[in-house]
């Protein structure tokens, strides 16, 4: 997540995806000395800046996600009227931690099924293949509630 944050840092993309669009309340608080019409103009300026930074954040986030291993997440992003159609970096940023959460009963059932169906692709793996398989098995095992690698 830290590497993703650093990728978003330039150009205001990180601020846009983390904070979402500016609101009139925020503008009123930050620019209290401005007149009502100037505050409206300022909100329009900030909204235009936000939209550009949010779109940039969306594209940078999307290029960092490996959706081939997350078909459910890909489906959510790509559904009609969804995050992908709107290219909403803020919404994508909010969704990623939720998708990574494995504590729900549904996610635990998926992990249990993956563990139950886990097998070697070849009867005589090379040491590198075996290392990769064992790493994947340990990764799944660690996600299962109550399991510990220690």
């Amino acid at each position: 997540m830290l590497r993703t944050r650093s990728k978003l840092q330039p150009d205001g993309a990180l601020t846009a995806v983390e904070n979402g669009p500016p609101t009139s309340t925020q503008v009123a608080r930050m620019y209290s000395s401005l007149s009502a019409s100037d505050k409206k103009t300022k909100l329009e300026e900030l909204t235009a800046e936000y939209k550009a930074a949010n779109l940039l954040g969306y594209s940078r986030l999307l290029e960092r996600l490996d959706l081939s291993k997350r078909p459910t997440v890909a489906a959510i992003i790509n559904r009609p009227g969804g995050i992908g159609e709107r290219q909403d970096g803020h919404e994508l940023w909010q969704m990623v931690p939720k998708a990574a959460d494995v504590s729900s009963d549904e996610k635990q059932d998926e992990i249990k099924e993956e563990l139950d169906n886990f097998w070697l692709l070849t009867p005589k793996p090379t040491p590198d293949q075996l290392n990769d398989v064992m790493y994947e098995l340990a990764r799944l095992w660690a996600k299962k509630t109550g399991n510990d690698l220690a």
Side-chain angles (χ1 to χ4, degrees):
M1 194 70 153
L2 290 176
R3 290 172 63 194
T4 299
R5 291 175 66 88
S6 68
K7 184 84 170 168
L8 295 170
Q9 191 66 42
D11 309 318
L14 179 62
T15 302
V17 299
E18 282 187 333
N19 299 333
T23 65
S24 57
T25 304
Q26 291 169 330
V27 170
R29 192 173 346 134
M30 291 172 63
Y31 302 96
S32 58
S33 62
L34 295 179
S35 68
S37 64
D38 288 343
K39 287 177 186 172
K40 182 179 178 191
T41 302
K42 189 64 172 174
L43 178 59
E44 290 168 357
E45 290 172 12
L46 292 172
T47 300
E49 291 173 14
Y50 164 78
K51 286 180 179 178
N54 189 47
L55 180 60
L56 181 63
Y58 172 82
S59 60
R60 288 185 179 164
L61 277 172
L62 197 59
E63 70 188 26
R64 300 192 61 82
L65 294 175
D66 181 3
L67 297 176
S68 66
K69 296 179 181 175
R70 306 297 302 236
T72 306
V73 173
I76 291 169
I77 291 171
N78 293 320
R79 72 176 157 216
I83 297 168
E85 193 171 296
R86 292 189 308 277
Q87 296 185 334
D88 189 339
H90 176 64
E91 193 174 347
L92 183 59
W93 180 261
Q94 302 301 313
M95 189 195 77
V96 168
K98 290 177 189 168
D101 181 19
V102 295
S103 61
S104 73
D105 289 342
E106 180 182 309
K107 293 283 187 179
Q108 288 295 302
D109 289 344
E110 288 176 17
I111 293 166
K112 182 181 181 318
E113 185 174 333
E114 279 187 73
L115 283 167
D116 289 346
N117 295 320
F118 195 89
W119 57 285
L120 293 174
L121 297 176
T122 176
K124 295 183 180 181
T126 66
D128 285 341
Q129 289 172 326
L130 187 58
N131 185 53
D132 291 346
V133 167
M134 296 309 292
Y135 174 79
E136 178 64 16
L137 184 59
R139 186 187 67 77
L140 282 172
W141 184 259
K143 285 182 173 183
K144 186 79 175 101
T145 301
N147 289 347
D148 190 2
L149 294 176

